[in-house]
Amino acid sequence: MKTSKFHDNDFYENYVLGRLSENEESWFEEHMLSCEYCKNQLELTENIINGIKKSNGTDTLDIPRKKTSQRLIPWFSIAASLLIIVSLGILLTKNKNKSIEISKQVPAFDSVKTHKEQTDSLLPDKDVVQTKEKNTELLAEAFKPNAIFENTLMNNLRSNSLEVISPKVSTKITTQDSLIFNWKSNSTNFSLVIFDNKAHIIFEEQVTPPFTFTKKLINGLYYWQLETEEEAVFTGKFIMKK
């Protein structure tokens, strides 16, 4: 049957009203699978006929009507099913390839361990991090000036009762350097007292200059004083740093 015969308003009407032969109906239904125009025209014809029935106050005409939606459902269902199957096949192939790429990039996890345990194992040890942070805080605290000693130190700068040779105020001492306390004075021997920046006594002894201090000190800020039995006559400070 020629395609041009389908594109006719009378043909659509005859199909809806069931006036076509079985062969004509089959050919037309097969044609509609690939012809959007005929589908639209057929739907329009059905709507017109339904409007006529309603205006006449009846649900049926003298000539029995074909239900096109029921006739076309098997064809559309098969086509739709094939389209869905093909789409799923493509989607599954893409996902499989993507999974293979990801598996190459991400290290395999031990199925026995939980995901959290395995993820945590990839992060720095919490104890190590906390220890480093604590050591940093302690180190910073060890260099914090002591307000009381700093005030005494300023007063010493206005005193000419003795001449301090070493260590000079705020001298930096390394572990390779010799820590030598040396001064000149007409007074009797002094007691040498060394404090950390928290005012804890590290060393206290009556010495004669020059005196070499051999005890190992950790990094930090230290204060030292020359004292008589009655008072501290000088306060100095030095920094121990590697």
Side-chain angles (χ1 to χ4, degrees), residues 176-194:
Q176 290 76 28
D177 297 331
S178 297
L179 180 54
I180 301 174
F181 294 89
N182 194 13
W183 61 91
K184 290 182 181 179
S185 176
N186 296 327
S187 302
T188 58
N189 290 337
F190 296 105
S191 291
L192 172 64
V193 186
I194 303 175

Side-chain angles (χ1 to χ4, degrees), residues 48-61 65:
I48 292 174
I49 293 176
N50 288 333
I52 294 174
K53 290 194 298 180
K54 290 181 180 179
S55 64
N56 292 334
T58 177
D59 290 336
T60 59
L61 295 179
R65 174 181 174 274

Side-chain angles (χ1 to χ4, degrees), residues 33-100:
L33 293 176
S34 59
C35 183
E36 194 68 26
Y37 175 81
C38 284
K39 293 178 186 177
N40 295 333
Q41 291 300 317
L42 181 62
E43 182 178 357
L44 178 62
T45 302
E46 283 188 313
N47 291 336
I48 292 174
I49 293 176
N50 288 333
I52 294 174
K53 290 194 298 180
K54 290 181 180 179
S55 64
N56 292 334
T58 177
D59 290 336
T60 59
L61 295 179
D62 295 339
I63 302 174
R65 174 181 174 274
K66 300 284 186 179
K67 294 184 179 179
T68 56
S69 58
Q70 292 181 357
R71 302 173 70 92
L72 294 178
I73 283 176
W75 290 94
F76 292 149
S77 297
I78 295 172
S81 299
L82 290 174
L83 180 60
I84 292 173
I85 292 173
V86 173
S87 299
L88 286 175
I90 295 173
L91 181 61
L92 290 174
T93 302
K94 289 183 177 179
N95 288 340
K96 182 178 180 180
N97 293 336
K98 187 175 181 181
S99 299
I100 293 174

Side-chain angles (χ1 to χ4, degrees), residues 81-237:
S81 299
L82 290 174
L83 180 60
I84 292 173
I85 292 173
V86 173
S87 299
L88 286 175
I90 295 173
L91 181 61
L92 290 174
T93 302
K94 289 183 177 179
N95 288 340
K96 182 178 180 180
N97 293 336
K98 187 175 181 181
S99 299
I100 293 174
E101 292 177 0
I102 293 175
S103 64
K104 292 180 180 179
Q105 299 174 4
V106 181
F109 282 111
D110 187 350
S111 59
V112 177
K113 295 182 179 179
T114 64
H115 176 73
K116 184 179 185 303
E117 290 174 338
Q118 297 175 75
T119 303
D120 290 345
S121 66
L122 300 177
L123 300 176
D125 193 315
K126 292 181 180 179
D127 293 337
V128 173
V129 174
Q130 292 176 353
T131 300
K132 289 182 178 179
E133 291 177 350
K134 186 176 181 180
N135 290 340
T136 301
E137 292 175 0
L138 291 175
L139 185 61
E141 191 68 21
F143 286 93
K144 186 176 181 180
N146 185 294
I148 296 176
F149 282 122
E150 290 293 327
N151 183 59
T152 305
L153 183 66
M154 294 302 295
N155 291 334
N156 286 339
L157 296 179
R158 295 190 292 270
S159 175
N160 296 318
S161 60
L162 59 80
E163 179 186 358
V164 175
I165 300 173
S166 66
K168 296 296 185 181
V169 175
S170 298
T171 296
K172 292 183 180 180
I173 310 294
T174 67
T175 53
Q176 290 76 28
D177 297 331
S178 297
L179 180 54
I180 301 174
F181 294 89
N182 194 13
W183 61 91
K184 290 182 181 179
S185 176
N186 296 327
S187 302
T188 58
N189 290 337
F190 296 105
S191 291
L192 172 64
V193 186
I194 303 175
F195 306 86
D196 64 13
N197 66 332
K198 299 297 183 182
H200 300 141
I201 296 176
I202 304 299
F203 175 83
E204 182 177 13
E205 188 175 323
Q206 189 177 51
V207 299
T208 301
F211 172 73
T212 301
F213 185 77
T214 58
K215 183 178 179 180
K216 298 295 182 181
L217 297 175
I218 63 174
N219 289 352
L221 174 63
Y222 294 88
Y223 295 91
W224 63 286
Q225 289 183 334
L226 295 176
E227 299 180 355
T228 65
E229 294 181 355
E230 300 165 347
E231 62 179 344
V233 297
F234 176 82
T235 301
K237 70 176 179 179

